[in-house]
Amino acid sequence: MKKNIKSFREKGFFIGKLNLAEKAKVNLIKHKVVDLIKKKIKSKQKITLENFHILIDKKKLNELRMYIHNKMNKRKFNFNYYNIVSRLIEPIVGTENVIQKKVNLSIQLPQDNSSLLPVHSDTWAGDSPFEIVIWLPLVNCRKTQSMFILPKNSHKFKNFNKYIFKNNNEIMKKIRPDIKFINIKYGEVLIFSQNLPHGNVVNLEKKTRWSFNARVKSLMSPYSKKNLLDFFEIINLKPATEFGLNYEYPKFK
């Protein structure tokens, strides 16, 4: 755990290894996703997530993604998602936390430019700088099949606020020498600060990428444009905090 904390302090992210019980829960999620694919596309071929691009027309990809997204996010999927990795993230963000209401699903086919997420930081779109992202792959991800991050300890990040950019292309050109593509195995999880510029590029590998992601923050840390009631749900609430939040001052003359 100390290694994870050190990595987060220095780089702004770490890759954590799930234990057997945690990986068993991810296996259940993966099986559920495969079952939903079978129901939706009604294919007689064996479905493997890595080779899914063989079975799907990319024009129908977003429809399938939203179908799986909506089905998975019923019955408090975000709570189950949090519980899988709580052991790894609570030393980073604390124990009284909130999580976004719906967990996001990303599918990136090889050679497909329709699922790109240009370089960005979530804070630029109104997220709190106190949030972390839980990025959970359902397949092994490497190089361009994965996502990239500009590490906190990189020269470009340390000087990022000194630059002036006109668009995303200028940002990417500037930081490209310092970005890191995340090589991560199934059974691992990426935890990173969404303050770090990140995104993806065209998948030049031969396998499809499947991953979930969700944002978590301390209940009591400052919010930005996305507030508690609209975007987040409370995961943990200690008795003293609950008492304090509900306390009403007496009236004095």
Side-chain angles (χ1 to χ4, degrees):
M1 195 61 67
K2 290 182 179 179
K3 182 179 179 181
N4 293 343
I5 295 173
K6 181 181 179 183
S7 177
F8 191 87
R9 286 187 184 278
E10 293 177 356
K11 301 177 183 179
F13 70 90
F14 70 88
I15 296 175
K17 295 184 181 296
L18 302 179
N19 61 33
L20 290 177
E22 293 160 348
K23 190 171 181 179
K25 293 177 182 178
V26 178
N27 287 338
L28 292 176
I29 292 174
K30 187 171 183 176
H31 291 320
K32 177 65 174 177
V33 168
V34 171
D35 287 343
L36 289 171
I37 295 171
K38 290 178 180 178
K39 291 179 182 179
K40 185 66 175 176
I41 68 174
K42 298 179 174 59
S43 174
K44 294 182 180 179
Q45 297 185 52
K46 181 181 178 180
I47 295 174
T48 59
L49 298 185
E50 293 90 340
N51 296 319
F52 181 69
H53 49 279
I54 298 173
L55 303 176
I56 189 75
D57 182 340
K58 69 178 182 180
K59 294 180 180 178
K60 299 180 179 180
L61 181 62
N62 194 54
E63 178 186 346
L64 174 72
R65 185 183 68 83
M66 290 306 302
Y67 169 78
I68 297 172
H69 171 272
N70 292 334
K71 291 291 185 180
M72 293 297 295
N73 276 295
K74 292 182 177 180
R75 299 179 182 179
K76 299 292 184 180
F77 176 50
N78 57 344
F79 280 62
N80 295 330
Y81 189 81
Y82 177 93
N83 289 333
I84 292 172
V85 297
S86 60
R87 174 183 64 88
L88 295 170
I89 67 172
E90 288 183 350
I92 302 295
V93 75
T95 58
E96 290 186 287
N97 298 321
V98 296
I99 187 171
Q100 69 184 72
K101 292 182 177 180
K102 293 186 177 181
V103 180
N104 300 321
L105 171 64
S106 176
I107 310 169
Q108 193 175 12
L109 309 178
Q111 305 296 331
D112 179 17
N113 61 6
S114 68
S115 301
L116 297 184
L117 195 59
V119 59
H120 68 286
S121 166
D122 297 13
T123 53
W124 305 346
D127 284 69
S128 167
F130 295 89
E131 295 171 25
I132 62 168
V133 180
I134 305 168
W135 197 88
L136 184 69
L138 295 185
V139 297
N140 295 335
C141 298
R142 61 189 297 272
K143 297 183 179 180
T144 57
Q145 179 197 6
S146 186
M147 62 170 285
F148 66 80
I149 289 178
L150 180 65
K152 177 185 175 185
N153 59 354
S154 67
H155 174 76
K156 292 295 190 300
F157 183 81
K158 290 177 179 178
N159 292 278
F160 195 79
N161 289 336
K162 297 178 182 179
Y163 308 131
I164 298 176
F165 304 106
K166 293 180 180 179
N167 51 48
N168 284 22
N169 289 335
E170 285 192 4
I171 297 174
M172 191 62 181
K173 183 178 180 180
K174 187 72 175 181
I175 69 173
R176 183 127 200 167
D178 283 20
I179 64 173
K180 177 178 176 58
F181 282 91
I182 303 298
N183 293 330
I184 184 170
K185 297 178 181 178
Y186 177 66
E188 297 178 334
V189 60
L190 170 66
I191 308 298
F192 68 96
S193 167
Q194 50 80 49
N195 298 335
L196 302 177
H198 58 280
N200 63 8
V201 297
V202 174
N203 179 4
L204 301 178
E205 316 312 315
K206 296 180 180 180
K207 296 182 178 180
T208 299
R209 187 247 283 181
W210 290 75
S211 60
F212 284 104
N213 68 82
R215 279 136 198 85
V216 169
K217 66 182 290 294
S218 169
L219 168 68
M220 304 306 291
S221 64
Y223 293 79
S224 187
K225 293 181 180 179
K226 297 179 179 178
N227 60 41
L228 176 58
L229 297 179
D230 293 335
F231 190 74
F232 293 104
E233 288 185 285
I234 296 174
I235 290 286
N236 297 318
L237 190 63
K238 302 297 185 183
T241 303
E242 183 178 11
F243 193 5
L245 290 174
N246 292 311
Y247 178 73
E248 294 184 10
Y249 285 91
K251 295 179 181 179
F252 298 99
K253 289 185 179 180

